[in-house]
Amino acid sequence: MAITTCIFDAYGTLFDVAAAAREAAAEPGNEALRDLWPSLAEDWRRKQLEYTWLRAITGAHADFWQVTQDGLDWAMQAAGLDDAAGLRARLLALYRELSAYAEVPQVLSALKASGKATAILSNGSPDMLASAVASAGIGDFLDDVLSVETVGVYKPHPSVYDLVGNRFGTAREQVLFVSSNGWDAAAAAGYGFTTAWVNRAGAPVDRMPWRPAHVLSDLTGIPALAGAS
């Protein structure tokens, strides 16, 4: 079947999750973060994801904003910055307005111009996603923004991927699902989507029962994969 619908993960795929720490480190008064920001950003993201998995497994759901704060608190303590309340507040504020990767507007615009449906499917809570989309100025290129809060469990639970078909009425084979998370791309492939893993870091493929159909270094190849160019 031809691809009719392009679905994007948000954090790490469209939005640069390291941007908050990187931008905070460049601001006056945050000298303590100058050398620490790469490791803090990595720890923050890792714990954020780990907490989504643990909450999904145990049934202890909390929205992604709570998980994001919990991950930051762990990362700041690990970096010896847990008493820097002002820095914590600044990092969280920046996270709500993460920078989009440079190619994002052009890629989404090309998909829309070709008649493809486009949407975000994210762990993010609706208010977080609304802030990020508005800040990046990409709302006009999206038909919808789908959040796991609708089903109350995080990826890669199948009920999350069900949201796409429920919204767009598409067969699974008509969906190109794009994620920077290898585990997400693999699980979505197992679900039946055509998947593209945006492997910006050049990481090994995750050892799961399924593998993404495509592996890219950024998003620029997505329109061609979708038949939009």
Side-chain angles (χ1 to χ4, degrees):
M1 287 187 179
I3 297 297
T4 64
T5 307
C6 297
I7 304 296
F8 294 85
D9 173 61
Y11 296 103
T13 304
L14 300 179
F15 307 120
D16 182 359
V17 292
R22 183 176 63 247
E23 291 170 15
E27 294 176 348
N30 291 335
E31 287 76 13
L33 196 57
R34 295 287 167 82
D35 296 328
L36 295 174
W37 79 261
S39 60
L40 182 125
E42 182 178 355
D43 285 345
W44 187 2
R45 178 59 170 168
R46 176 170 54 85
K47 298 307 291 188
Q48 182 191 51
L49 290 174
E50 288 177 0
Y51 292 155
T52 65
W53 301 328
L54 289 168
R55 286 184 176 277
I57 291 168
T58 60
H61 185 74
D63 75 15
F64 201 59
W65 186 238
Q66 182 62 55
V67 170
T68 297
Q69 292 178 79
D70 292 342
L72 176 58
D73 289 342
W74 190 98
M76 290 187 69
Q77 184 172 358
L81 297 170
D82 46 314
D83 60 347
L87 177 58
R88 179 185 188 274
R90 181 58 180 152
L91 286 165
L92 289 171
L94 287 168
Y95 201 92
R96 295 188 75 91
E97 299 180 349
L98 289 174
S99 302
Y101 289 103
E103 74 271 21
V104 168
Q106 183 176 357
V107 167
L108 294 178
S109 177
L111 292 170
K112 290 303 298 175
S114 72
K116 306 298 180 183
T118 59
I120 285 173
L121 177 65
S122 174
N123 280 339
S125 57
D127 61 328
M128 288 178 69
L129 292 167
S131 294
V133 168
S135 178
I138 60 173
D140 289 345
F141 304 131
L142 297 167
D143 293 300
D144 213 336
V145 178
L146 306 175
S147 167
V148 301
E149 288 305 302
T150 302
V151 292
V153 67
Y154 288 110
K155 296 178 188 178
H157 196 280
S159 64
V160 176
Y161 303 121
D162 285 342
L163 293 173
V164 176
N166 293 343
R167 167 60 177 83
F168 291 100
T170 55
R172 298 179 186 189
E173 296 82 3
Q174 293 175 292
V175 174
L176 176 62
F177 180 81
V178 184
S179 181
S180 64
N181 299 301
W183 54 269
D184 188 18
Y191 179 81
F193 291 156
T194 299
T195 61
W197 175 31
V198 183
N199 184 13
R200 296 181 187 273
V205 175
D206 281 314
R207 270 51 174 181
M208 293 179 68
W210 323 280
R211 294 199 168 200
H214 309 283
V215 180
L216 308 173
S217 60
D218 60 30
L219 292 166
T220 55
I222 293 300
L225 292 181
S229 62

